[in-house]
Each structure stands twice: as structure tokens, then as C-alpha cells.
Amino acid sequence: MELGPGGSTAVTAIVIDGKGIWVANIGDSRAVVCVGGFANQLTVDHEPHTERKRIEKQGGFVITFPGNISPFFSHV
């Protein structure tokens, strides 16, 4: 079996009473809003090679093994 490139990406937005917006993203998904005809970027891309130290400091881990399922989870 040949595995393809792995990874996750998502973006979500919640509009509150038409007055406020909360936006979150993971991976290289980017939220953009158009105001007055101009595009404004709301989020910054999250990439493991630039955030490895922050992720590991918070108890997480980064797997660079190519594939849709990491070997860590393949037995689950």
C-alpha cells in the first residue's frame, strides 16, 4: 500500500449577532474577509516546520512521515 501526503487543514468562522466574528484555522487554510472591496487576511498559516518548538513545548508532536496515517496511530 502506498500512502499519500498527510496533513490537516481547516478554517471556521462564527458570526455573533451580526456584530462580531470569531475565526480559527489549522494548517495552511486561510480566512479572508472582504470589506469595502478590499480583501483582509484574518488568519496566519500554521506550518509544522515553523511551529515545531511551540507545538512540542505545549506537549504536542510533529510527524514528518509522509502518509495519510502516521505510524504512531496505525495500530489504533
Side-chain angles (χ1 to χ4, degrees), residues 1 3 61 63 65-76:
M1 175 172 72
L3 298 175
F61 58 92
I63 296 174
F65 177 79
N68 293 328
I69 302 173
S70 80
F72 180 80
F73 294 110
S74 63
H75 66 281
V76 176

Side-chain angles (χ1 to χ4, degrees), residues 14-43:
I14 300 172
V15 178
I16 303 167
D17 296 329
K19 298 176 184 177
I21 186 169
W22 285 54
V23 179
N25 73 312
I26 185 171
D28 59 0
S29 288
R30 187 173 300 164
V32 178
V33 66
C34 182
V35 178
F38 294 95
N40 297 298
Q41 184 175 335
L42 299 178
T43 60

